[in-house]
Amino acid sequence: LNPKDKVRVAVVGKYIGLQDAYKSIYDALIHGRIANEAMVEIKKVDSEEIQKEGPDKFLSDVSGILVPGGFGNRGIEGKIKAINFARTNKIPFFGICLGMQCAAIEFARNVCGLKNANSTEFNKKTPYPVISLLEEQKKIKEMGGTMRLGAYPCKIKAGSVAQRAYKKSLVSERHRHRYEFNNKYKK
């Protein structure tokens, strides 16, 4: 009721027009504001608009940028532009699922110099498939209920922002997807 701080967080997605598409994310931001005694204003930004008009118009007034998950190619380049805007302007960024995958693509293109880096979900012939189909998914023809489920152990780098957030060196992360970071590009 009496926030000490105020932040504006942009949620950049391709389903922004659907009222409940990112409900769990909006609810998580509300819970985060309560825990941190801060007012959080959520700015819903359509990634297709960023793709057409660029990020400055939509993201210049935000304190943080969150890119959520999703499927398919629509709006992806707008998400990547938003992530580039966050990185180059040092705006806190959080990528969830596809949002993290887009961050890997953006970094590969703009920092590592892999100009046409992409996900094989969007461009099967990309010369730099930094995000690719999981090996065990390549043989699957019937898609219903076949995504990899469950959690796996994730080692957190000492002294990293992630370690400060988790306050642990080993966490269990849950994933439900067909695509992931291609470890051939880890170095």
Side-chain angles (χ1 to χ4, degrees):
L1 295 175
N2 299 301
K4 295 177 183 173
D5 293 304
K6 181 180 179 180
V7 295
R8 177 180 291 150
V9 177
V11 175
V12 178
K14 54 183 163 182
Y15 311 123
I16 288 296
L18 303 173
Q19 182 178 342
D20 290 341
Y22 302 117
K23 183 166 178 27
S24 63
I25 290 168
Y26 303 144
D27 288 351
L29 288 169
I30 290 167
H31 288 280
R33 88 175 182 205
I34 294 166
N36 291 286
E37 298 182 56
M39 175 55 68
V40 176
E41 179 185 332
I42 298 170
K43 182 175 184 180
K44 299 174 181 181
V45 181
D46 188 321
S47 61
E48 290 182 282
E49 294 298 315
I50 291 177
Q51 192 165 327
K52 287 184 231 169
E53 300 181 46
D56 292 22
K57 176 180 177 179
F58 303 98
L59 302 176
S60 294
D61 63 345
V62 300
S63 312
I65 298 171
L66 187 152
V67 176
F71 296 92
N73 195 36
R74 185 172 59 87
I76 292 301
E77 292 303 320
K79 288 183 177 199
I80 292 169
K81 285 180 180 182
I83 293 163
N84 177 268
F85 186 86
R87 184 181 56 75
T88 58
N89 290 285
K90 297 184 180 0
I91 296 171
F93 166 76
F94 187 47
I96 299 173
C97 193
L98 181 59
M100 183 286 301
Q101 293 176 5
C102 289
I105 294 167
E106 188 281 328
F107 192 84
R109 288 178 183 178
N110 299 306
V111 176
C112 299
L114 305 176
K115 185 179 176 193
N116 295 310
N118 215 325
S119 167
T120 57
E121 180 181 5
F122 314 131
N123 179 356
K124 293 196 183 321
K125 297 185 189 274
T126 178
Y128 306 110
V130 295
I131 304 296
S132 61
L133 194 62
L134 292 157
E135 282 301 317
E136 65 263 26
Q137 293 288 322
K138 290 180 180 177
K139 299 174 191 113
I140 295 173
K141 302 292 183 229
E142 299 288 324
M143 294 297 177
T146 60
M147 292 177 133
R148 183 176 76 180
L149 301 173
Y152 79 95
C154 181
K155 187 176 178 184
I156 305 293
K157 185 177 179 181
S160 67
V161 173
Q163 187 191 38
R164 287 194 303 276
Y166 280 109
K167 296 179 177 58
K168 296 179 181 180
S169 59
L170 185 67
V171 297
S172 180
E173 286 293 329
R174 182 179 62 87
H175 295 270
R176 185 174 194 259
H177 54 76
R178 288 181 167 52
Y179 294 85
E180 72 180 358
F181 183 78
N182 183 343
N183 279 325
K184 292 177 186 173
Y185 293 91
K186 189 173 180 179
K187 286 187 180 181

